Amino acid sequence: MLRETLLALSASKQARDLIMATPLTREVVARFVAGESAADTVSQRLIASGRLVSIDFLGEDTTDPGQAAAVADEYVRLIDQLAVAGLAAGGRAEVSVKPTAVGLGLAEHGEKTAQENVARITAAAAAAGTTVTVDMEDHTRVEPTLRLVRELRADYPDLGCVVQSYLQRTVADCQELAVAGSRVRLCKGAYQAPDGVGFAGRADVDRSYARCMRVLLDGPGYPMLATHDPRLIAIAGVKADLAGRDPDSFEYQLLYGIRPNEQDRLAAAGARVRVYLPYGSDWYGYLVRRLAERPANLAFFLRALLSRR
Ligand SMILES: Cc1cc2nc3c(=O)[nH]c(=O)nc-3n(C[C@H](O)[C@H](O)[C@H](O)COP(=O)(O)OP(=O)(O)OC[C@H]3O[C@@H](n4cnc5c(N)ncnc54)[C@H](O)[C@@H]3O)c2cc1C
């Protein structure tokens, strides 16, 4: 119930204006977000500690083509910065892009605009020696997002995509996506879907995650297992061994600021670990999704507010 309310709040303009205007929110934001322009310095630190990064320029639901193009420009600038800092080569720092941030939700030509913008970002990434992963948003965006990835993979086969185990369709998507060279991030999903489209219970979502993970690990692609769930991380290790996978043939992915000790533990054990690192000023939707995932985060947020009164 709390999760549903918070996810509804993540789309509310009034709540957004109120929370973003509260200076005390900054303390909580800093736990999950790199800062407005600190992506390269934080990446440097994470990479020095043996982790990889995927950087997300925060923003979503762009309604203006000029803004969508500006987001793509920012990504190209970021990739140049990463290349100059020596972080892009070998994909140590890559980028994650939300389709609606680059135009997918525009009233006219949304899909075409998003595809052109992702193509521009991916071309810059390829020139710098790194990759792009296209994030997945709510269930209404799955079909156009997968279509966009399929089309761009003709030119950029290493373009990554994301599937979400809370959707009933996802195991079939995994079967289709588990092909040689295919970079696929598997996550539980941070959105809600109607009955019949998504799974209602957490146990079903977890079971679906385990099923999808097996399909991806047994296939010839490159699975990117995005979860903080200790049980699923343990199952991933066992399934990867059973599938005869080398440690560098798949990776674990975790969010910046969440379970950092586990990130270190996995990296020290020889696994490839990538940290999803958001930066920028448009952090509202991202923050509220993180609060919805864990009531303790909400308590932390409220404590930070109340302790300053
Ligand atoms: C690298 C990465 C990329 C992602 N990309 C996408 C995407 O493109 N589309 C999408 O819909 N979703 C994405 N997500 C979010 C994902 O779908 C989940 O909402 C999120 O990861 C929480 O699910 P979980 O697998 O960690 O399991 P949960 O069952 O939610 O959590 C398991 C345990 O992890 C810890 N934990 C989880 N979340 C938090 C938190 N917010 N704060 C503190 N501790 C926490 C807790 O210990 C919790 O008990 C991504 C997640 C990661 C890690």
Side-chain angles (χ1 to χ4, degrees):
M1 182 62 191
L2 180 63
R3 179 169 188 270
E4 275 86 59
T5 311
L6 282 167
L7 288 177
L9 266 187
S10 74
S12 153
K13 171 144 178 20
Q14 274 165 318
R16 175 198 184 91
D17 292 348
L18 185 72
I19 291 182
M20 287 192 80
T22 308
L24 301 179
T25 311
R26 292 267 143 206
E27 205 172 309
V28 185
V29 174
R31 183 176 157 196
F32 298 111
V33 172
E36 298 203 358
S37 60
D40 52 346
T41 43
V42 179
S43 297
Q44 198 115 41
R45 180 168 58 72
L46 290 166
I47 288 171
S49 73
R51 287 168 278 183
L52 309 164
V53 292
S54 188
I55 306 177
D56 165 41
F57 176 53
L58 288 164
E60 51 202 89
D61 296 330
T62 300
T63 52
D64 164 45
Q67 172 62 16
V71 170
D73 291 345
E74 171 66 22
Y75 271 105
V76 171
R77 228 182 346 260
L78 169 67
I79 290 164
D80 285 348
Q81 259 174 22
L82 295 172
V84 169
L87 302 174
R92 288 186 304 162
E94 66 139 31
V95 297
S96 283
V97 180
K98 285 205 169 20
T100 69
V102 290
L104 186 65
L106 293 178
E108 283 179 34
H109 312 302
E111 213 169 315
K112 182 167 173 285
T113 306
Q115 185 166 327
E116 286 168 1
N117 283 326
V118 175
R120 192 149 66 84
I121 298 166
T122 310
T130 190
T131 49
V132 175
T133 298
V134 181
D135 284 345
M136 191 58 82
E137 298 171 88
D138 72 74
H139 70 101
T140 65
R141 309 292 187 194
V142 173
E143 208 47 63
T145 300
L146 291 179
R147 196 160 44 233
L148 177 157
V149 168
R150 256 193 312 270
E151 285 176 18
L152 289 180
R153 276 185 172 183
D155 291 327
Y156 304 102
D158 60 5
L159 180 63
C161 67
V162 180
V163 290
Q164 301 153 315
S165 73
Y166 85 118
L167 296 177
Q168 299 188 10
R169 59 174 288 162
T170 297
V171 74
D173 287 335
C174 288
Q175 274 148 1
E176 198 174 305
L177 288 162
V179 295
S182 173
R183 297 173 60 252
V184 183
R185 177 193 301 156
L186 172 64
C187 65
K188 289 188 188 177
Y191 301 83
Q192 296 188 83
D195 288 351
V197 176
F199 292 109
R202 291 180 81 89
D204 291 327
V205 176
D206 291 358
R207 262 194 296 276
S208 163
Y209 194 104
R211 261 199 310 274
C212 293
M213 183 156 68
R214 193 169 65 223
V215 172
L216 295 176
L217 284 169
D218 283 348
Y222 183 82
M224 304 184 281
L225 306 174
T227 182
H228 313 97
D229 188 326
R231 212 159 55 99
L232 289 172
I233 291 176
I235 294 173
V238 173
K239 282 191 197 292
D241 280 348
L242 286 173
R245 286 222 165 230
D246 288 335
D248 61 359
S249 71
F250 70 103
E251 66 189 42
Y252 296 95
Q253 295 192 341
L254 295 93
L255 300 176
Y256 178 68
I258 301 184
R259 303 200 68 205
N261 294 341
E262 177 66 1
Q263 299 176 12
D264 284 338
R265 186 192 71 78
L266 287 165
R272 281 170 70 87
V273 178
R274 193 175 296 276
V275 178
Y276 184 99
L277 177 68
Y279 79 101
S281 55
D282 194 0
W283 40 259
Y284 175 76
Y286 183 85
L287 175 75
V288 177
R289 285 195 294 277
R290 301 294 78 81
L291 297 179
E293 274 153 14
R294 203 166 177 238
N297 288 343
L298 188 61
F300 173 67
F301 177 66
L302 293 173
R303 255 199 321 275
L305 288 183
L306 294 172
S307 66
R308 299 296 181 83
R309 278 185 188 278

